[in-house]
Amino acid sequence: METPLRNLATEAVHAGREDLAARGLHAAPLDLSTTYPSADSRAEAARLDEFAATGALPAGPPVYGRLGNETVDRFETALARLEGTESAVAFASGMAALTATLLVRASQGLKHIVAVRPLYGCSDHLLTAGLLGTEVTWTDPAGIADAIRPDTGLVMVETPANPTLAEVDLRAVAYSCGEVPLLVDNTFATPVLQRPATLGARAVLHSATKYLGGHGDVLGGVVACDEEFARQLRQIRFATGGILHPLAGYLLLRGLSTLPVRVKAQSATAAELVRRLKADPRITKVHYPKVGGAMVAFEVDGDPHEVIAGVELITPAVSLGSVDTLIQHPGSISHRVIGADGRRSGGISDRLLRMSVGLEDVEDLWADLDAALSAAVRAPAEAVR
Ligand SMILES: *Cc1c(COP(=O)(O)O)cnc(C)c1O
């Protein structure tokens, strides 16, 4: 039976760990087994048949490490609880999670995807290049209903979107999708700020590498969804092998414990930096979503490469969602792969910088940013690319 939903901060530290105290444990055990011994191969055959037929996790030990893992299960249970879904299925990375989602639909003959730009650069690339045999139609939110065809398997949006922090109205988009499943990349908002499944999304994608892990030391991905879709994802995961390593599952479960406090503290600092950036004549545009959060994007009057070169406390690196502040130039790194035309159609300026605000003191961050911005404004601004 479903445990009634407790508040998010409580779930963050308890979900997926309910059995521990009765087992005499406090921290979740880390199971590194690749295989699970059984003297009863008739029973193992039955368990494998059941998984092949249904995609439901077999009761008891998982037969083989690619089928399941109890440490990873705990992370999946906890994330599903935070997102308000029945289930969640974890993968080796956010891109492995997206790949599996696309393959679930493509394997049913539904190879057409409708998507809204901007998306994370590699997600855009995976769809545009059709590497998995899918075909994409890019549209704006208002065009979704018209873009849907009989072979449309998925509508995909990201909100706030990487890297411009553009937002889409999820309720309205979910309505436009009709019967077609809506996949929402919720990496930036996290369930602390937004729970897309409660607004009509069928599946919620995370690069767990970012806020869920939160410390820049684990790669992972996860899809939170209903159990029917989760079963299909598990079958694809078993067949294609993009599993989450148990140690990563352990670190992600631990990361979830502090997700609400991290996101709230980092968001408060981000909001203060946004206030200062908006008042700063060296900045031509500040992007910050209504939903809030710890991601800030801004366009500089000078050369954005000089800001990257000028920061000392802030880490000049791609990725986001860590306890320390990171800054990167999307045109050079996160959205390089989609090319100048893709960036233009996603509204990604060459002068845009994307900053993921960490847990440092706001005055120290501002002092660093302020010095880097001054260096950038002094540099000649021609030929930015
Ligand atoms: C990083 C990212 C991804 C890809 O996740 P990986 O874990 O790097 O594979 C997908 N979506 C968004 C919004 C991201 O920021």
Side-chain angles (χ1 to χ4, degrees):
M1 205 163 74
E2 290 278 309
T3 317
L5 186 75
R6 289 170 290 192
N7 287 313
L8 189 101
T10 307
E11 293 289 8
V13 292
H14 287 287
R17 295 89 149 176
E18 284 93 346
D19 61 320
L20 292 178
R23 289 177 56 186
L25 297 171
H26 186 215
L30 169 56
D31 172 17
L32 290 168
S33 302
T34 56
T35 189
Y36 296 86
S38 169
D40 186 353
S41 40
R42 287 185 198 86
E44 296 296 82
R47 282 143 55 77
L48 285 175
D49 286 350
E50 192 196 330
F51 179 76
T54 68
L57 282 179
V63 184
Y64 183 61
R66 189 155 24 77
L67 209 56
N69 174 274
E70 78 145 85
T71 310
V72 172
D73 286 356
R74 290 179 189 279
F75 164 64
E76 292 173 337
T77 301
L79 193 269
R81 204 75 68 75
L82 295 183
E83 284 289 4
T85 57
E86 253 179 317
S87 303
V89 184
F91 295 88
S93 67
M95 292 316 299
L98 176 57
T99 295
T101 308
L102 294 172
L103 287 176
V104 161
R105 302 302 285 165
S107 67
Q108 296 161 359
L110 301 169
K111 297 190 172 182
H112 178 242
I113 311 297
V114 172
V116 175
R117 274 183 167 141
L119 295 179
Y120 169 65
C122 286
S123 304
D124 186 315
H125 173 64
L126 185 62
L127 293 174
T128 303
L131 293 177
L132 298 168
T134 58
E135 180 197 341
V136 66
T137 299
W138 296 107
T139 180
D140 56 14
I144 288 174
D146 286 342
I148 288 174
R149 312 192 310 214
D151 65 338
T152 302
L154 207 61
V155 174
M156 181 175 183
V157 302
E158 210 173 281
T159 180
N162 191 346
T164 60
L165 309 176
E167 287 176 282
V168 301
D169 177 345
L170 287 180
R171 269 185 214 283
V173 164
Y175 181 78
S176 311
C177 291
E179 295 295 300
V180 179
L182 170 63
L183 173 70
V184 176
D185 188 328
N186 200 31
T187 299
F188 275 30
T190 83
V192 178
L193 301 177
Q194 161 181 287
R195 306 203 310 154
T198 66
L199 304 171
R202 171 98 191 258
V204 181
L205 178 85
H206 280 274
S207 168
T209 314
K210 317 292 171 50
Y211 287 100
L212 306 188
H215 294 73
D217 57 4
V218 52
L219 275 160
V222 62
V223 181
C225 55
D226 55 274
E227 174 61 14
E228 185 190 341
F229 202 79
R231 290 178 176 199
Q232 297 167 3
L233 284 168
R234 285 189 208 107
Q235 288 173 326
I236 291 287
R237 182 176 64 178
F238 182 58
T240 58
I243 57 161
L244 186 71
H245 190 273
L247 178 57
Y250 178 91
L251 290 170
L252 290 174
L253 182 69
R254 185 156 94 163
L256 289 185
S257 310
T258 54
L259 180 70
V261 287
R262 280 187 285 108
V263 169
K264 281 176 197 153
Q266 293 174 189
S267 300
T269 304
E272 174 58 21
L273 292 174
V274 164
R275 196 185 64 74
R276 296 185 191 190
L277 289 167
K278 279 187 172 161
D280 196 303
R282 297 166 295 184
I283 306 298
T284 54
K285 192 166 181 189
V286 180
H287 304 248
Y288 191 64
K290 285 195 195 74
V291 72
M295 297 302 298
V296 178
F298 54 92
E299 294 167 32
V300 288
D301 198 15
D303 185 339
H305 299 292
E306 294 298 325
V307 181
I308 301 289
V311 288
E312 286 179 1
L313 174 68
I314 297 170
T315 306
V318 73
S319 199
L320 57 111
S322 185
V323 287
D324 60 325
T325 299
L326 277 72
I327 195 166
Q328 64 112 14
H329 180 236
S332 298
I333 307 186
S334 65
H335 292 71
R336 189 73 187 167
V337 68
I338 67 174
D341 288 346
R343 289 195 290 280
R344 203 168 305 116
S345 95
I348 304 164
S349 156
D350 286 342
R351 292 180 191 270
L352 186 78
L353 290 163
R354 189 195 75 189
M355 185 165 69
S356 163
V357 178
L359 289 171
E360 300 93 335
D361 183 88
V362 67
E363 298 303 336
D364 293 333
L365 287 175
W366 180 249
D368 194 38
L369 204 52
D370 183 45
L373 286 170
S374 293
V377 168
R378 281 196 302 272
E382 279 94 326
V384 171
R385 61 172 76 87

